[in-house]
Short mmCIF file of all heavy atoms in Angstrom, two decimals:
data_model
loop_
_atom_site.label_atom_id
_atom_site.label_comp_id
_atom_site.label_asym_id
_atom_site.label_seq_id
_atom_site.Cartn_x
_atom_site.Cartn_y
_atom_site.Cartn_z
N TYR A 18 11.50 7.34 -18.05
CA TYR A 18 11.68 5.90 -17.79
C TYR A 18 10.33 5.23 -17.62
O TYR A 18 9.40 5.83 -17.05
CB TYR A 18 12.43 5.67 -16.46
CG TYR A 18 13.91 5.94 -16.53
CD1 TYR A 18 14.43 7.16 -16.13
CD2 TYR A 18 14.79 4.96 -16.99
CE1 TYR A 18 15.79 7.41 -16.19
CE2 TYR A 18 16.15 5.21 -17.05
CZ TYR A 18 16.65 6.43 -16.64
OH TYR A 18 17.99 6.66 -16.71
N ILE A 48 22.92 -0.99 -12.48
CA ILE A 48 23.60 -0.88 -13.77
C ILE A 48 25.13 -0.81 -13.57
O ILE A 48 25.78 0.20 -13.86
CB ILE A 48 23.08 0.28 -14.65
CG1 ILE A 48 21.54 0.35 -14.60
CG2 ILE A 48 23.57 0.09 -16.10
CD1 ILE A 48 20.91 1.27 -15.62
N ALA A 49 25.64 -1.92 -13.07
CA ALA A 49 27.11 -2.11 -12.97
C ALA A 49 27.80 -1.08 -12.07
O ALA A 49 28.96 -0.75 -12.28
CB ALA A 49 27.75 -2.12 -14.37
N VAL A 50 27.06 -0.57 -11.10
CA VAL A 50 27.61 0.45 -10.20
C VAL A 50 28.10 -0.14 -8.88
O VAL A 50 29.22 0.15 -8.43
CB VAL A 50 26.56 1.55 -9.93
CG1 VAL A 50 26.98 2.46 -8.77
CG2 VAL A 50 26.32 2.39 -11.20
N THR A 102 34.86 13.73 -12.72
CA THR A 102 33.58 14.25 -13.20
C THR A 102 32.45 13.72 -12.31
O THR A 102 32.70 12.92 -11.40
CB THR A 102 33.31 13.78 -14.64
OG1 THR A 102 33.16 12.35 -14.64
CG2 THR A 102 34.46 14.14 -15.58
N ASN A 103 31.23 14.16 -12.60
CA ASN A 103 30.08 13.72 -11.81
C ASN A 103 29.39 12.50 -12.40
O ASN A 103 28.47 11.97 -11.79
CB ASN A 103 29.03 14.83 -11.72
CG ASN A 103 29.63 16.12 -11.25
OD1 ASN A 103 30.09 16.21 -10.12
ND2 ASN A 103 29.69 17.10 -12.12
N SER A 104 29.76 12.11 -13.59
CA SER A 104 29.01 11.06 -14.28
C SER A 104 29.85 10.50 -15.41
O SER A 104 30.90 11.05 -15.76
CB SER A 104 27.72 11.63 -14.86
OG SER A 104 28.04 12.56 -15.88
N GLY A 105 29.33 9.45 -16.01
CA GLY A 105 29.99 8.87 -17.17
C GLY A 105 29.91 9.79 -18.38
O GLY A 105 30.91 10.00 -19.08
N THR A 106 28.74 10.31 -18.61
CA THR A 106 28.55 11.13 -19.81
C THR A 106 29.49 12.34 -19.78
O THR A 106 30.05 12.74 -20.79
CB THR A 106 27.06 11.53 -19.98
OG1 THR A 106 26.84 11.87 -21.35
CG2 THR A 106 26.64 12.67 -19.08
N GLU A 107 29.73 12.90 -18.60
CA GLU A 107 30.65 14.03 -18.50
C GLU A 107 32.10 13.60 -18.70
O GLU A 107 32.93 14.40 -19.17
CB GLU A 107 30.53 14.69 -17.13
CG GLU A 107 29.31 15.56 -16.98
CD GLU A 107 29.10 15.92 -15.53
OE1 GLU A 107 28.45 15.14 -14.82
OE2 GLU A 107 29.62 16.95 -15.11
N ALA A 108 32.41 12.38 -18.32
CA ALA A 108 33.76 11.87 -18.58
C ALA A 108 33.98 11.78 -20.10
O ALA A 108 35.07 12.13 -20.60
CB ALA A 108 33.95 10.50 -17.93
N ILE A 109 32.95 11.36 -20.82
CA ILE A 109 33.04 11.29 -22.29
C ILE A 109 33.22 12.69 -22.88
O ILE A 109 34.05 12.91 -23.77
CB ILE A 109 31.77 10.61 -22.88
CG1 ILE A 109 31.69 9.15 -22.42
CG2 ILE A 109 31.75 10.74 -24.40
CD1 ILE A 109 32.73 8.24 -23.01
N SER A 152 27.17 1.58 -30.19
CA SER A 152 27.90 2.00 -28.99
C SER A 152 26.94 2.72 -28.04
O SER A 152 25.83 3.10 -28.43
CB SER A 152 29.02 2.95 -29.38
OG SER A 152 28.48 4.11 -30.01
N PHE A 153 27.40 2.91 -26.81
CA PHE A 153 26.68 3.78 -25.88
C PHE A 153 27.69 4.56 -25.07
O PHE A 153 28.56 3.97 -24.41
CB PHE A 153 25.77 2.99 -24.94
CG PHE A 153 24.99 3.90 -24.02
CD1 PHE A 153 23.82 4.51 -24.45
CD2 PHE A 153 25.46 4.19 -22.74
CE1 PHE A 153 23.12 5.39 -23.63
CE2 PHE A 153 24.76 5.07 -21.91
CZ PHE A 153 23.60 5.67 -22.35
N HIS A 154 27.60 5.89 -25.12
CA HIS A 154 28.53 6.72 -24.36
C HIS A 154 27.86 7.75 -23.47
O HIS A 154 28.54 8.53 -22.82
CB HIS A 154 29.50 7.42 -25.32
CG HIS A 154 30.34 6.46 -26.12
ND1 HIS A 154 31.31 5.65 -25.55
CD2 HIS A 154 30.34 6.14 -27.44
CE1 HIS A 154 31.89 4.91 -26.49
NE2 HIS A 154 31.32 5.18 -27.65
N GLY A 155 26.52 7.77 -23.44
CA GLY A 155 25.85 8.69 -22.52
C GLY A 155 24.83 9.56 -23.22
O GLY A 155 24.63 9.48 -24.43
N ARG A 156 24.21 10.45 -22.43
CA ARG A 156 23.02 11.17 -22.89
C ARG A 156 23.21 12.66 -23.11
O ARG A 156 22.29 13.32 -23.60
CB ARG A 156 21.89 10.97 -21.88
CG ARG A 156 21.55 9.52 -21.58
CD ARG A 156 21.04 8.79 -22.79
NE ARG A 156 20.34 7.57 -22.38
CZ ARG A 156 19.24 7.11 -22.96
NH1 ARG A 156 18.73 7.73 -24.00
NH2 ARG A 156 18.67 6.01 -22.53
N SER A 157 24.33 13.21 -22.67
CA SER A 157 24.55 14.63 -22.97
C SER A 157 24.83 14.76 -24.46
O SER A 157 25.11 13.77 -25.13
CB SER A 157 25.70 15.18 -22.13
OG SER A 157 26.86 14.42 -22.35
N ALA A 160 28.19 13.29 -25.84
CA ALA A 160 28.22 11.83 -25.70
C ALA A 160 27.19 11.17 -26.61
O ALA A 160 27.43 10.12 -27.21
CB ALA A 160 28.00 11.43 -24.24
N THR A 164 27.21 8.20 -29.80
CA THR A 164 26.45 6.99 -29.46
C THR A 164 25.77 6.47 -30.72
O THR A 164 24.90 7.15 -31.28
CB THR A 164 25.44 7.30 -28.33
OG1 THR A 164 26.18 7.49 -27.12
CG2 THR A 164 24.44 6.19 -28.13
N LEU A 204 35.73 4.06 -28.55
CA LEU A 204 34.97 2.81 -28.48
C LEU A 204 34.97 2.27 -27.05
O LEU A 204 35.82 2.64 -26.24
CB LEU A 204 35.55 1.76 -29.44
CG LEU A 204 36.95 1.23 -29.17
CD1 LEU A 204 37.08 -0.17 -29.76
CD2 LEU A 204 38.00 2.12 -29.80
N GLU A 205 33.97 1.43 -26.77
CA GLU A 205 33.95 0.69 -25.52
C GLU A 205 34.81 -0.56 -25.73
O GLU A 205 34.71 -1.20 -26.77
CB GLU A 205 32.52 0.24 -25.19
CG GLU A 205 31.55 1.35 -24.89
CD GLU A 205 30.12 0.96 -25.31
OE1 GLU A 205 29.75 1.21 -26.48
OE2 GLU A 205 29.39 0.41 -24.48
N THR A 206 35.61 -0.91 -24.73
CA THR A 206 36.41 -2.12 -24.84
C THR A 206 35.49 -3.34 -24.90
O THR A 206 35.74 -4.29 -25.64
CB THR A 206 37.39 -2.23 -23.66
OG1 THR A 206 37.91 -0.92 -23.39
CG2 THR A 206 38.53 -3.17 -23.98
N VAL A 207 34.43 -3.29 -24.11
CA VAL A 207 33.33 -4.26 -24.23
C VAL A 207 32.06 -3.44 -24.40
O VAL A 207 31.70 -2.67 -23.51
CB VAL A 207 33.19 -5.13 -22.95
CG1 VAL A 207 32.03 -6.12 -23.11
CG2 VAL A 207 34.48 -5.87 -22.63
N GLN A 208 31.39 -3.58 -25.53
CA GLN A 208 30.13 -2.85 -25.70
C GLN A 208 29.12 -3.38 -24.70
O GLN A 208 28.84 -4.58 -24.66
CB GLN A 208 29.60 -2.99 -27.13
CG GLN A 208 30.38 -2.16 -28.13
CD GLN A 208 29.66 -2.00 -29.46
OE1 GLN A 208 28.90 -2.88 -29.89
NE2 GLN A 208 29.92 -0.89 -30.14
N GLY A 209 28.58 -2.47 -23.87
CA GLY A 209 27.65 -2.89 -22.82
C GLY A 209 26.20 -2.81 -23.28
O GLY A 209 25.59 -3.81 -23.67
N GLU A 210 25.68 -1.58 -23.26
CA GLU A 210 24.32 -1.27 -23.68
C GLU A 210 23.96 -1.90 -25.04
O GLU A 210 22.83 -2.33 -25.26
CB GLU A 210 24.25 0.25 -23.81
CG GLU A 210 22.99 0.92 -23.41
CD GLU A 210 22.51 0.63 -22.02
OE1 GLU A 210 23.34 0.58 -21.07
OE2 GLU A 210 21.30 0.45 -21.87
N ASP A 238 36.26 3.75 -23.71
CA ASP A 238 35.21 3.98 -22.72
C ASP A 238 35.13 2.73 -21.83
O ASP A 238 34.68 1.68 -22.27
CB ASP A 238 33.88 4.24 -23.43
CG ASP A 238 32.74 4.52 -22.45
OD1 ASP A 238 32.91 4.26 -21.24
OD2 ASP A 238 31.68 4.99 -22.91
N GLU A 239 35.61 2.89 -20.60
CA GLU A 239 35.63 1.78 -19.63
C GLU A 239 34.60 2.03 -18.53
O GLU A 239 34.72 1.50 -17.41
CB GLU A 239 37.03 1.64 -19.03
CG GLU A 239 38.07 1.15 -20.03
CD GLU A 239 38.32 -0.35 -19.93
OE1 GLU A 239 37.98 -0.95 -18.90
OE2 GLU A 239 38.83 -0.94 -20.91
N ILE A 240 33.60 2.83 -18.83
CA ILE A 240 32.63 3.22 -17.81
C ILE A 240 31.88 2.01 -17.26
O ILE A 240 31.67 1.89 -16.06
CB ILE A 240 31.67 4.30 -18.37
CG1 ILE A 240 32.45 5.61 -18.56
CG2 ILE A 240 30.46 4.49 -17.46
CD1 ILE A 240 31.71 6.69 -19.34
N GLN A 241 31.50 1.10 -18.16
CA GLN A 241 30.78 -0.09 -17.71
C GLN A 241 31.70 -1.29 -17.50
O GLN A 241 31.57 -2.04 -16.54
CB GLN A 241 29.67 -0.45 -18.71
CG GLN A 241 28.77 -1.55 -18.22
CD GLN A 241 27.42 -1.62 -18.91
OE1 GLN A 241 26.72 -2.59 -18.81
NE2 GLN A 241 27.03 -0.58 -19.62
N CYS A 242 32.65 -1.48 -18.41
CA CYS A 242 33.46 -2.70 -18.37
C CYS A 242 34.71 -2.56 -17.51
O CYS A 242 35.41 -3.53 -17.26
CB CYS A 242 33.82 -3.14 -19.79
SG CYS A 242 34.86 -1.97 -20.67
N THR A 264 37.86 6.57 -20.10
CA THR A 264 36.82 7.09 -19.20
C THR A 264 36.39 6.00 -18.22
O THR A 264 36.39 4.81 -18.57
CB THR A 264 35.58 7.55 -20.00
OG1 THR A 264 35.10 6.45 -20.79
CG2 THR A 264 35.91 8.73 -20.90
N VAL A 265 36.06 6.42 -17.02
CA VAL A 265 35.58 5.54 -15.96
C VAL A 265 34.38 6.21 -15.29
O VAL A 265 34.30 7.44 -15.28
CB VAL A 265 36.63 5.33 -14.82
CG1 VAL A 265 36.47 3.99 -14.16
CG2 VAL A 265 38.03 5.56 -15.28
N ALA A 266 33.51 5.45 -14.72
CA ALA A 266 32.45 5.99 -13.85
C ALA A 266 31.82 4.80 -13.12
O ALA A 266 32.55 4.04 -12.48
CB ALA A 266 31.41 6.80 -14.63
N LYS A 267 30.52 4.64 -13.25
CA LYS A 267 29.77 3.53 -12.64
C LYS A 267 30.39 2.98 -11.35
O LYS A 267 30.16 3.57 -10.29
CB LYS A 267 29.52 2.45 -13.69
CG LYS A 267 28.52 2.96 -14.77
CD LYS A 267 27.83 1.87 -15.54
CE LYS A 267 26.58 2.39 -16.25
NZ LYS A 267 26.80 2.91 -17.59
N PRO A 274 28.21 9.46 -6.86
CA PRO A 274 28.30 9.88 -8.26
C PRO A 274 29.66 10.47 -8.61
O PRO A 274 29.92 11.64 -8.37
CB PRO A 274 27.18 10.92 -8.40
CG PRO A 274 26.96 11.43 -7.02
CD PRO A 274 27.35 10.35 -6.06
N VAL A 275 30.52 9.63 -9.17
CA VAL A 275 31.84 10.09 -9.57
C VAL A 275 32.30 9.32 -10.80
O VAL A 275 32.14 8.12 -10.90
CB VAL A 275 32.87 9.96 -8.41
CG1 VAL A 275 32.96 8.54 -7.87
CG2 VAL A 275 34.25 10.47 -8.82
N GLY A 276 32.84 10.06 -11.75
CA GLY A 276 33.45 9.48 -12.94
C GLY A 276 34.80 10.13 -13.13
O GLY A 276 35.24 10.94 -12.30
N ILE A 353 30.76 -9.39 -16.75
CA ILE A 353 29.93 -8.66 -17.71
C ILE A 353 29.63 -9.64 -18.84
O ILE A 353 30.45 -9.87 -19.73
CB ILE A 353 30.57 -7.33 -18.18
CG1 ILE A 353 29.72 -6.66 -19.27
CG2 ILE A 353 32.02 -7.49 -18.63
CD1 ILE A 353 30.05 -5.20 -19.52
N ARG A 386 21.52 -9.01 -19.65
CA ARG A 386 22.89 -8.65 -19.27
C ARG A 386 23.10 -9.04 -17.80
O ARG A 386 22.24 -8.82 -16.95
CB ARG A 386 23.03 -7.15 -19.51
CG ARG A 386 23.93 -6.40 -18.60
CD ARG A 386 24.12 -4.96 -19.06
NE ARG A 386 22.93 -4.21 -19.43
CZ ARG A 386 22.95 -2.89 -19.68
NH1 ARG A 386 24.07 -2.22 -19.64
NH2 ARG A 386 21.85 -2.25 -20.02
C1 LIG B 1 26.55 4.14 -18.42
C2 LIG B 1 27.51 4.42 -19.49
C3 LIG B 1 27.83 5.73 -19.87
C4 LIG B 1 27.12 6.94 -19.29
O1 LIG B 1 27.32 7.07 -17.93
P1 LIG B 1 26.34 8.00 -17.07
O2 LIG B 1 26.94 7.99 -15.71
O3 LIG B 1 24.99 7.35 -17.12
O4 LIG B 1 26.33 9.33 -17.68
C5 LIG B 1 28.80 5.91 -20.84
N1 LIG B 1 29.43 4.87 -21.40
C6 LIG B 1 29.15 3.60 -21.07
C7 LIG B 1 29.90 2.48 -21.71
C8 LIG B 1 28.17 3.33 -20.12
O5 LIG B 1 27.86 2.06 -19.81
#
Side-chain angles (χ1 to χ4, degrees):
Y18 284 97
I48 317 191
V50 167
T102 65
N103 308 295
S104 66
T106 201
E107 283 167 273
I109 296 291
S152 61
F153 182 82
H154 298 293
R156 305 297 198 142
S157 56
T164 289
L204 65 154
E205 294 149 271
T206 320
V207 180
Q208 285 195 330
E210 217 55 41
D238 181 346
E239 291 263 341
I240 290 169
Q241 188 160 166
C242 64
T264 56
V265 209
K267 291 201 162 89
V275 56
I353 175 164
R386 148 172 47 171

